[in-house]
Amino acid sequence: MELSRRTVVAGAAAGMAATTLGGTAHATGGRKPVKTLFGKLADGTKVYSWALENGGTRLKVLSWGGVVQSLEIPDRRGRHANVSAGFDNLEDYVAKTPYFGALIGRYGNRIGKGKFTLDGKNYQLSVNDGEQSLHGGTQGFDKRVWDVEPFTKGSDVGLHLYYTSVDGEMGYPGTLKTKVTYTLTRHGDWRIDYEATTDKATVVNLTSHVYWNLAGEGSGTIEDHELHIAGSRYTPTDAGLIPTGELARVAGTPFDFTRAKPIGRDIRTSHPQLVTAKGFDHNWVLDKGITSRPEHVATLRDPASGRTLKIATNEPGLQFYSGNFLDGTLTGPSGRTYRQGDALCLETQHFPDSPNKPKFPSTVLRPGQTYHTTTIHTFGC
């Protein structure tokens, strides 16, 4: 596996990857993004919703946390459904959300005890998951209001989202200037381009935390969804869900998704890692490693509706989370509650706790470098 840090992505090649993953090519014209008021924060700050449509895909994004509030795609009969879990009001996103649809930063996933050392200096981060720092801390990028700029480019439509994280925010060094671009292509693909620069050495690991249910939001369990992950190793964790440093083989274990299988087939086995995490909540080491352009790494399929999701990325890891901590206390736009296993996440990323694991791919970003990663979601039926 390639362990060097990639900082530049060939944009043209990435675009080519978006059209070679299969799925239905709707090739319809995109509509100019539409902005509406979604709500106001306690301090009076306005939060807006942006609606985009292209190639048969409909996307709604909030300026709060860059949240994907809904994402609608058709089934085999052409019937659209929202396949992303979330809320219909701002108050629940602020007070209750388990990162529904959010942009995650500065560091997606966990950093053990919220500590790391960089260039001989120790840093203490915001701790918000037991002893660990999860998804950037108590006030990560998911809880910030982003500046949003809509665009149309050729047959594509999209949004540029901007946020500047100041030096010391949540304990991270350096002022990080972040730009995330959401693009809907004429084929209905949803592409995310992450960019960031810093004025001081820091660590960065950005990702998206959409909760998927291809049968439709609020429709119940995802255990009958079929999943394929192009990863023959994964990173086992300790009791705090921090990687031990081992790159364990998936062969002969419930973690083997090298051939597509129903998620529920092995999820209730007594494998110690499944018992600890209450299901799947692990990082897969992708066989392709770090690549200069996005490559296909995972396919999710709902047999009932025929909907499929194919994911391409240039990142070396994929976190598969099976919705283990959904407990029936949250209610979605459908008016139905979310229970354990009612949605899942597939988060493209560098590995959890990389700042404390020298053998993992580096997440260090230095002045003069540009962090740039791309993930492409291709939908089919």
Side-chain angles (χ1 to χ4, degrees):
M1 181 180 65
E2 176 61 46
L3 296 185
S4 62
R5 177 68 176 172
R6 171 240 343 107
T7 59
V8 179
V9 172
M16 182 179 298
T19 63
T20 59
L21 293 176
T24 302
H26 297 278
T28 61
R31 298 182 183 179
K32 184 177 179 180
V34 177
K35 177 183 178 181
T36 58
L37 182 65
F38 188 72
K40 294 182 181 180
L41 300 176
D43 65 0
T45 301
K46 294 180 179 179
V47 172
Y48 293 96
S49 171
W50 293 87
L52 302 81
E53 183 173 354
N54 205 7
T57 300
R58 304 165 183 166
L59 179 66
K60 288 186 178 180
V61 176
L62 305 182
S63 55
W64 171 260
V67 163
V68 172
Q69 198 249 337
S70 70
L71 196 155
E72 298 182 9
I73 58 174
D75 65 7
R76 62 166 63 93
R77 296 181 180 179
R79 298 173 299 189
H80 277 76
N82 175 23
V83 296
S84 173
F87 300 116
D88 60 6
N89 65 90
L90 179 60
E91 292 75 19
D92 282 350
Y93 277 111
V94 172
K96 300 179 180 180
T97 185
Y99 306 99
F100 281 151
L103 282 176
I104 302 297
R106 286 190 191 190
Y107 199 96
N109 221 307
R110 295 172 175 87
I111 294 181
K113 300 187 185 304
K115 297 179 180 180
F116 69 93
T117 301
L118 179 59
D119 295 339
K121 185 174 181 179
N122 298 326
Y123 293 94
Q124 176 63 62
L125 307 175
S126 167
V127 172
N128 60 330
D129 182 45
E131 295 183 328
Q132 327 305 345
S133 182
L134 174 65
H135 295 331
T138 55
Q139 297 291 317
F141 287 7
D142 61 297
K143 296 178 180 64
R144 307 291 180 174
V145 176
W146 292 64
D147 293 325
V148 181
E149 178 184 284
F151 70 88
T152 58
K153 184 178 180 181
S155 58
D156 295 342
V157 297
L159 304 171
H160 298 303
L161 298 98
Y162 301 91
Y163 177 69
T164 297
S165 176
V166 299
D167 184 21
E169 185 174 278
M170 297 294 102
Y172 288 91
T175 294
L176 190 78
K177 294 183 177 180
T178 306
K179 175 185 177 183
V180 178
T181 301
Y182 289 166
T183 303
L184 285 187
T185 73
R186 68 187 183 92
H187 297 290
D189 297 345
W190 174 41
R191 172 175 171 148
I192 311 176
D193 289 281
Y194 306 89
E195 300 176 51
T197 58
T198 184
D199 62 358
K200 186 185 296 185
T202 191
V203 294
V204 187
N205 191 28
L206 306 180
T207 191
S208 172
H209 210 287
V210 172
Y211 281 71
W212 302 100
N213 186 324
L214 297 184
E217 180 272 328
S219 63
T221 183
I222 47 81
E223 290 190 9
D224 55 353
H225 281 37
E226 297 169 354
L227 178 63
H228 163 256
I229 301 175
S232 55
R233 294 178 184 267
Y234 77 106
T235 52
T237 67
D238 62 19
L241 300 183
I242 298 298
T244 63
E246 179 187 6
L247 306 183
R249 293 192 177 276
V250 301
T253 78
F255 294 85
D256 191 349
F257 287 90
T258 53
R259 292 187 178 183
K261 68 177 181 181
I263 290 168
R265 177 178 295 175
D266 299 320
I267 200 169
R268 286 178 172 78
T269 61
S270 59
H271 191 287
Q273 287 290 308
L274 292 179
V275 173
T276 296
K278 298 180 173 60
F280 296 104
D281 192 3
H282 296 78
N283 168 69
W284 266 253
V285 179
L286 299 173
D287 291 336
K288 70 175 187 61
I290 298 171
T291 48
S292 62
R293 64 182 180 86
E295 295 185 13
H296 177 220
V297 297
T299 300
L300 182 68
R301 177 176 179 269
D302 170 41
S305 68
R307 295 187 183 96
T308 60
L309 163 63
K310 294 185 178 182
I311 295 178
T313 188
N314 38 41
E315 290 280 45
L318 181 76
Q319 183 85 7
F320 166 37
Y321 168 57
S322 54
N324 312 332
F325 299 104
L326 298 175
D327 60 3
T329 61
L330 305 176
T331 302
S334 62
R336 304 191 68 183
T337 60
Y338 298 130
R339 299 187 180 276
Q340 187 179 52
D342 279 355
L344 65 93
C345 301
L346 296 168
E347 304 156 62
T348 56
Q349 59 172 25
H350 270 56
F351 303 169
D353 203 36
S354 289
N356 296 311
K357 300 290 192 298
K359 293 185 179 180
F360 283 4
S362 175
T363 56
V364 174
L365 180 70
R366 297 185 180 279
Q369 297 178 328
T370 298
Y371 173 97
H372 191 176
T373 76
T374 299
T375 294
I376 302 167
H377 305 81
T378 299
F379 306 104
C381 51

